[in-house]
Amino acid sequence: MKVMVVWRGVPGKYKAAVDQFLKTGGPAPAGAKTLGRWHVPGSVLGWHLLEADDLTAIAQHVAEWADVLELETYPVIEDAAAAEAAKKVFGK
């Protein structure tokens, strides 16, 4: 399963978040794999695309950052899977 984690910096915690990222690199925990990570330059906004069979690994990753970032997680699918679901509903 692919999960997009969207993060925003917590007011007053920017330096702590940067220090944690520079120290650790923000790796995915065991059981999850980073597929990509993007940062908005000059902002405290970013995205981390992870893949995991067990959402426990995603929960662990979010918990590791929750004191310095506001995090939202979204399960995501690719275009082909979304198209297949739409075909089932709309019959095209």
Side-chain angles (χ1 to χ4, degrees), residues 3 5 27-33 50-64 73:
V3 177
V5 177
K33 176 182 176 185
L50 297 132
E51 187 169 43
D53 292 330
D54 181 359
L55 292 178
T56 303
I58 304 302
Q60 176 184 336
H61 187 62
V62 168
E64 291 168 347
T73 60

Side-chain angles (χ1 to χ4, degrees), residues 2-21:
K2 292 179 181 145
V3 177
M4 183 68 73
V5 177
V6 181
W7 80 79
R8 287 179 179 72
V10 171
K13 298 287 186 171
Y14 179 73
K15 184 176 183 321
V18 169
D19 287 346
Q20 184 171 329
F21 176 68

Side-chain angles (χ1 to χ4, degrees), residues 39-54:
H39 303 252
V40 176
S43 172
V44 294
L45 175 65
W47 301 267
H48 189 180
L49 181 60
L50 297 132
E51 187 169 43
D53 292 330
D54 181 359

